[in-house]
Amino acid sequence: MRSFKPSTHIIPFCRQAWRVPAALLILLFIGTMVWGIHLVRDHGEQLGMGMLATVPESAAVTATAQGVALTQTGEAGINPIRIATVNIAGVNKTTQNQIGSYVSAGSGILINPKGYVVTAQHIIQDLAEIQVRVQTPFGPRQYPAKTVKVLPQHDLALIKIVSQDIFPYLALEQTPLLTLGEQVQAWGDPLGTEALQRVGTVARIDLTEPVMVKNHSLTHLMQTDAVFHWAQSGGPLVNSQGHLVGINVAIEDATGNIIGFAIPTNVLVTHFQEVVTFVHKSSAAPVAASPDPLAPGQATTPATPRAPRSADLWWQKVQGLLGLGLGKHVAMTPAAPATDPAVTVRDPAHEPSLRIWGYSPGNFLGLLLLGFVSGISGGMMTMGGGIIKVTGLMWFFGYGLLLVRPVAYLTNIFMYGAAVLRYQRQGLLRFDQCKPLIPWAMAGMVLGYFIGNVMSKTAIQWLLGIFALLLGIKMLVEISESRSSGRKSTDSILDEETSSRSSDSAFLLWMQKYFGNQMHDDLPLPNLPNKTTRHGMLGLPMGIISGILGITGGVIEVPLQRYILRMPLRSAIANSATLVFFASMVGSVVALWHGVQTGSFELQTPILMALILTPGAFAGGMVGAWLTSVIPLNMLRWIYAALMFVIAVRMFLI
């Protein structure tokens, strides 16, 4: 056999000239990283507070004689106020709560780099879904948004862009002193492509005289002639330093003229600071952003202009060539001096005060009280506490479902975890029958959470109203059932003569059979093909309802346990609480993870809210259990039924 001899022309790898190409690749990699870091830092400077500190004189243009100017997207230069002003649009609801057409509703202003937008509440109240149009270096971009909190008494709304992008924003001029005659500029974005602005002055400040806006009586307003167009509603009112001093409200009078008002920033800070971090700036002199602009109480230093670097000039040149600029800064034209001397007005109701975990003492105690009331309901009737908690957070505090559902999941873990231990000690829990239902309840919770994310706010409110109505009807049925049992033995079965007395009594007997607390042996057993189907039917519906609405789902699970498993009432309640506990654990993890990953909310916000609600719920549960022993049960049922009917009407009419 012929032996193989290696060729003398093949050079071993270790002797090849690989070092030079490798060095070049490493240098290219390092250069790319350095350039990327520079662009990220430059991007942060453009979208952060540094751009608001100084405005180059070369970027200024003169407004028209009336103080009105129109800024087009695509002009050279960057206007920090323009890019922080957004357009609010969405699908409009018709008078029959049906889906209507796509409309541009008004404007808003970004007040946080994580995508929090403040706008006027009347702008979003008729939108089935909210879309925010933001100016970017690549042109206008549209994002979906969710309601975080609304404040109808001040016509304010805080919404969150569902994104993890970093956004431009304006710093707030927070001061309890408002000055008459101060020069201001009002901005608005009517269509998401161009902005309106006008220079004016603060003409009047009245903290007590009400102004009607969309059937809401508003106070704590300042009047300004800078607001002249409907599209400015919800947009920013800024001072001569470019800091946010108010949220515009354009009101049309009987003659069709626009009267301009603005809601001072100290009002929105007072009511929104528990769910969003504001950035404040002093009006004494233009300042640059601190190393951590979101760190409260951190001192700021005067801005010092830096010489443009070659990379910056190159980047600006590319922006100009591609037409990616976001508009020129419109400098304020000197306004006529005020005829009256400057007058300051103090607003004691919205001055900085004590905060507990970011909440005002009133809101903190209010959340404790809400948890207490929902706990009483759970302690008395073992159901309905979730509806009170969810509707209370929406009704009294104005929180959106974006936060309400994760908070509800978290509080259910603590409330029903303690209940499960109590039921187990009492021997009421049938865990052997409950165990195979737990995976189905967990799967239903996850499915319900994502279904709830795509459902409209109106649909969820109607579902809450339906369940509140069912609970109210159930209480009335139990009252009639207890009266019937007072005339007869509890264990006796109504005979045919009684059931045929009248159509009304027949209907009442039917309601007692299917919605009452007593077990009726004549109920037909469902024909289920196998155990898997039975387990799914028992666990999945409760999980889906809990996931969509944030309530416990006991109004569904307890009857299912009794109807399918023939479970005694108290054991059905114990099993239902167990399913709620395990489903809420999974729901909490999924909701918190998904909310943070999608940029829907910050992790600490629902956790802190749940920690405030939970102690009150524990105390309320003990008080509710005690009340059942000292107050006639039917009286408690009447009170509970009335409360459920009020909630149902409220949810149907919102």
Side-chain angles (χ1 to χ4, degrees):
M1 177 180 285
R2 186 176 180 181
S3 62
F4 175 77
K5 295 182 180 180
S7 174
T8 57
H9 299 286
I10 298 178
I11 302 175
F13 177 77
C14 59
R15 296 182 182 178
Q16 293 182 17
W18 58 271
R19 294 178 178 83
V20 174
L24 290 175
L25 287 175
I26 293 173
L27 289 175
L28 288 174
F29 173 77
I30 295 175
T32 303
M33 294 296 294
V34 171
W35 178 246
I37 293 172
H38 162 74
L39 290 181
V40 170
R41 185 174 62 178
D42 187 65
H43 178 74
E45 290 176 357
Q46 291 180 5
L47 300 187
M49 302 314 300
M51 289 299 297
L52 300 181
T54 58
V55 179
E57 294 182 359
S58 60
V61 298
T62 305
T64 64
Q66 292 79 19
V68 181
L70 188 66
T71 299
Q72 301 279 350
T73 60
E75 297 178 3
I78 293 179
N79 181 355
I81 302 174
R82 171 66 189 104
I83 60 177
T85 302
V86 300
N87 172 257
I88 307 295
V91 177
N92 198 19
K93 292 185 296 187
T94 63
T95 54
Q96 292 80 21
N97 283 328
Q98 298 176 353
I99 301 299
S101 58
Y102 191 86
V103 296
S104 176
S107 303
I109 181 66
L110 284 149
I111 46 83
N112 184 285
K114 295 184 179 179
Y116 288 92
V117 176
V118 176
T119 185
Q121 189 262 344
H122 74 267
I123 288 177
I124 67 168
Q125 68 179 7
D126 294 328
L127 295 180
E129 59 182 45
I130 304 171
Q131 299 289 332
V132 177
R133 295 166 177 169
V134 183
Q135 303 302 316
T136 73
F138 305 98
R141 181 178 177 185
Q142 185 165 284
Y143 294 87
K146 299 288 186 180
T147 302
V148 177
K149 186 178 181 180
V150 295
L151 201 65
Q153 64 269 31
H154 290 293
D155 194 30
L156 283 173
L158 178 68
I159 61 178
K160 174 70 172 66
I161 295 175
V162 182
S163 173
Q164 286 188 314
D165 292 350
I166 302 298
F167 294 91
Y169 62 100
L170 282 187
L172 273 64
E173 183 69 51
Q174 186 197 10
T175 172
L177 298 178
L178 307 174
T179 305
L180 289 176
E182 182 178 355
Q183 192 174 359
V184 291
Q185 190 178 42
W187 285 71
D189 188 346
L191 298 174
T193 56
E194 56 189 23
L196 291 166
Q197 66 264 347
R198 186 181 196 177
V199 177
T201 58
V202 178
R204 186 167 66 97
I205 300 173
D206 196 318
L207 304 181
T208 58
E209 182 179 350
V211 176
M212 294 301 298
V213 178
K214 291 283 187 177
N215 299 323
H216 295 298
S217 180
L218 305 183
T219 57
H220 297 80
L221 294 175
M222 50 187 179
Q223 187 172 347
T224 174
D225 56 354
V227 177
F228 73 101
H229 194 275
W230 67 266
Q232 291 174 300
S233 282
L237 186 74
V238 298
N239 60 11
S240 56
Q241 284 78 35
H243 302 157
L244 184 66
V245 296
I247 302 299
N248 303 325
V249 179
I251 301 174
E252 186 175 351
D253 62 10
T255 62
N257 296 322
I258 297 293
I259 304 176
F261 292 89
I263 307 159
T265 53
N266 58 334
V267 176
L268 63 98
V269 170
T270 298
H271 295 283
F272 290 155
Q273 63 181 330
E274 77 268 19
V275 289
V276 64
T277 302
F278 292 95
V279 180
H280 307 287
K281 286 217 171 179
S282 171
S283 61
V287 293
S290 59
D292 183 6
L294 297 183
Q298 195 170 43
T300 57
T301 57
T304 55
R306 61 173 175 84
R309 292 166 291 189
S310 57
D312 298 319
L313 295 175
W314 178 87
W315 177 243
Q316 293 172 7
K317 183 178 179 180
V318 170
Q319 285 182 310
L321 291 175
L322 297 179
L324 301 180
L326 299 179
K328 296 179 180 179
H329 180 78
V330 179
M332 292 187 180
T333 56
T339 57
D340 298 328
V343 178
T344 57
V345 179
R346 182 174 291 274
D347 185 6
H350 298 97
E351 290 184 358
S353 60
L354 173 69
R355 313 299 293 186
I356 306 173
W357 289 357
Y359 292 82
S360 66
N363 281 353
F364 188 88
L365 293 176
L367 288 174
L368 281 175
L369 180 61
L370 177 61
F372 182 74
V373 173
S374 64
I376 288 178
S377 174
M380 290 190 310
M381 303 299 170
T382 66
M383 63 180 64
I387 289 182
I388 293 176
K389 177 174 54 186
V390 169
T391 56
L393 289 172
M394 297 171 59
W395 187 355
F396 293 106
F397 295 91
Y399 294 119
L401 289 167
L402 185 73
L403 289 177
V404 168
R405 293 193 300 154
V407 170
Y409 301 157
L410 288 168
T411 52
N412 286 341
I413 293 176
F414 297 101
M415 291 175 58
Y416 287 90
V420 169
L421 294 177
R422 184 171 67 251
Y423 290 138
Q424 187 178 23
R425 287 196 298 267
Q426 295 173 353
L428 299 173
L429 178 61
R430 306 287 181 85
F431 192 73
D432 55 334
Q433 296 184 345
C434 188
K435 183 178 179 180
L437 311 183
I438 293 175
W440 289 97
M442 290 179 172
M445 172 68 83
V446 176
L447 180 62
Y449 170 75
F450 287 104
I451 292 175
N453 281 343
V454 299
M455 290 181 64
S456 68
K457 180 182 177 182
T458 302
I460 292 180
Q461 287 175 345
W462 273 74
L463 281 177
L464 284 169
I466 290 171
F467 277 94
L469 184 63
L470 289 176
L471 283 172
I473 293 173
K474 178 175 174 58
M475 290 300 106
L476 296 182
V477 171
E478 290 182 6
I479 291 171
S480 66
E481 191 178 52
S482 65
R483 289 179 176 177
S484 298
S485 63
R487 294 190 300 266
K488 298 184 178 184
S489 173
T490 304
D491 296 330
S492 64
I493 301 176
L494 297 176
D495 54 23
E496 295 181 358
E497 295 181 0
T498 305
S499 63
S500 61
R501 282 179 299 183
S502 66
S503 59
D504 291 338
S505 61
F507 174 75
L508 182 60
L509 292 176
W510 182 87
M511 294 289 290
Q512 290 177 359
K513 179 182 292 187
Y514 289 94
F515 290 90
N517 283 335
Q518 297 182 13
M519 179 70 72
H520 294 267
D521 294 333
D522 58 338
L523 283 174
L525 283 171
N527 185 17
L528 301 177
N530 50 54
K531 289 184 178 181
T532 302
T533 303
R534 183 169 71 245
H535 295 160
M537 189 173 179
L538 284 167
L540 198 61
M542 186 279 297
I544 292 177
I545 294 300
S546 298
I548 293 175
L549 303 179
I551 64 177
T552 59
V555 66
I556 289 180
E557 184 60 28
V558 172
L560 284 176
Q561 293 263 335
R562 304 199 70 199
Y563 176 53
I564 296 178
L565 297 181
R566 290 294 192 264
M567 192 72 64
L569 176 62
R570 293 181 64 82
S571 293
I573 293 172
N575 285 2
S576 176
T578 304
L579 294 179
V580 171
F581 170 72
F582 284 101
S584 297
M585 285 198 300
V586 174
S588 299
V589 173
V590 172
L592 293 177
W593 174 83
H594 181 260
V596 173
Q597 288 297 314
T598 58
S600 299
F601 52 76
E602 298 176 60
L603 180 62
Q604 69 272 15
T605 304
I607 292 177
L608 287 178
M609 200 180 301
L611 290 177
I612 298 172
L613 284 166
T614 301
F618 270 118
M622 292 186 290
V623 172
W626 172 74
L627 286 175
T628 56
S629 63
V630 298
I631 298 179
L633 187 57
N634 275 352
M635 182 181 295
L636 295 176
R637 286 169 173 160
W638 278 113
I639 296 173
Y640 187 82
L643 179 61
M644 289 296 108
F645 288 137
V646 169
I647 291 175
V649 171
R650 175 69 176 179
M651 290 295 105
F652 291 147
L653 296 181
I654 287 182

